Amino acid sequence: MGLGRYLFAAASLPVRGAGVGLGVASYGGTVAADLMATTARTATQIVTEVLGGTPARRASSGHGRAWIEVRGLAGPRGDDVAATVLRAVRETTGVEGAELNRALSRLVVTVDEHGPSVAELCTVVAGAEDVARPVPRGAVRDRPAELPGDDVALAERALALAAVTTGLVAAAGVRLLPMPTLPAAVPAAAVTFVNYQPRLRSMVEERLGPDAAELLLATAQAVGDVLRRAPASLAVDVALRSAITAEAWSGRRVWHRREPELARDPADDTGRPAR
């Protein structure tokens, strides 16, 4: 069995298990395929976000449209950002139309058959934002507002699931190795302390954002559980993360089903900046 098929099968199992309880068991294969594809598209951005870099831009696509996060709309130069982004995207080859929903911080872009990809549109949006509102080096960047259809929202939950699932397999394997078991308090105490102390957790979330913080803490907890050979704890975490991931995927399906209705008149009154 190739590595790709092995990873696909490993990701499918916990999601299928969660699907039984959530009524989506028949979609198990589709869930796993969506998780793999979405995570592969956004993995580099997510790693950068988890390491404290620029947050991954939230975006989704379907039905010939893309919903792309626009940053800086709430700031003092919000009108300049809105006007510059709209102009830049509308002038992009292959774009049939673009409307701004300022309340959702989303640009809704309609593209033709040979139009730009979501990644290319995100690059155009980022460039326009930098022109309208340059961000000084080291400045705190805007934290993203999420919608249920965003690729990154699903991918971060999928990566957390992958981390604890890998940890479960590793923890079960190291129990067979002749090595001393670390005391339960040593590897996981610091992570658990941060996880369940609101003030400390809020500090991590303020630095990384809620989703990136959750992914980082889940991965660190899994590493600690592997070191102390605690597969039972990881099994509970796998079940929890499976349910969270399946819930995110269900929300994503609902969003894509309702998206054509929402896109009929996507612009709000605040989305038309004064000239």
Side-chain angles (χ1 to χ4, degrees):
M1 178 182 291
L3 178 60
R5 292 180 62 188
Y6 175 80
L7 293 174
F8 183 89
S12 300
L13 290 175
V15 175
R16 289 175 186 271
V20 173
L22 295 174
V24 296
S26 62
Y27 299 103
T30 305
V31 174
D34 196 10
L35 293 184
M36 295 287 288
T38 303
T39 303
R41 284 197 305 271
T42 59
T44 302
Q45 302 173 57
I46 292 173
V47 170
T48 300
E49 180 175 329
V50 170
L51 295 178
T54 302
R57 189 174 299 274
R58 272 50 179 172
S60 63
S61 62
H63 310 289
R65 284 178 298 275
W67 292 65
I68 300 173
E69 175 197 1
V70 180
R71 297 170 179 169
L73 294 174
R77 304 192 64 179
D79 288 348
D80 291 338
V81 171
T84 305
V85 167
L86 280 169
R87 182 170 56 252
V89 172
R90 286 170 176 169
E91 292 175 353
T92 301
T93 303
V95 171
E96 295 183 347
E99 296 290 342
L100 182 64
N101 188 306
R102 202 157 178 169
L104 296 178
S105 297
R106 287 299 190 278
L107 185 70
V108 185
V109 186
T110 304
V111 298
D112 61 29
E113 184 179 356
H114 303 291
S117 66
V118 174
E120 291 169 337
L121 289 170
C122 287
T123 299
V124 173
V125 170
E129 290 172 352
D130 290 341
V131 169
R133 187 201 59 152
V135 179
R137 178 181 291 273
V140 177
R141 293 190 176 256
D142 298 337
R143 287 300 165 200
E146 288 191 345
L147 294 178
D150 291 342
D151 289 345
V152 173
L154 178 65
E156 288 187 327
R157 289 158 179 79
L159 285 174
L161 172 60
V164 297
T165 303
T166 303
L168 175 60
V169 175
V174 298
R175 289 180 67 90
L176 304 177
L177 300 177
M179 57 183 292
T181 301
L182 292 175
V186 171
V191 178
T192 302
F193 187 68
V194 171
N195 219 0
Y196 294 100
Q197 286 292 327
R199 181 174 297 181
L200 291 177
R201 185 181 175 96
S202 66
M203 291 173 61
V204 178
E205 291 182 349
E206 184 177 347
R207 179 69 180 87
L208 301 178
D211 293 321
E214 182 66 23
L215 174 57
L216 178 63
L217 292 172
T219 303
Q221 187 72 50
V223 171
D225 286 338
V226 170
L227 291 177
R228 67 188 181 96
R229 305 190 194 187
S233 175
L234 282 162
V236 173
D237 221 4
V238 167
L240 173 63
R241 300 289 171 185
S242 295
I244 291 173
T245 305
E247 182 181 22
W249 187 81
S250 296
R252 178 182 174 88
R253 289 184 62 242
V254 172
W255 169 265
H256 282 298
R257 188 166 61 245
R258 298 292 302 276
E259 189 273 340
E261 177 184 342
L262 298 171
R264 289 174 189 167
D265 187 19
D268 55 11
D269 292 338
T270 62
R272 301 176 175 86
R275 299 290 181 180

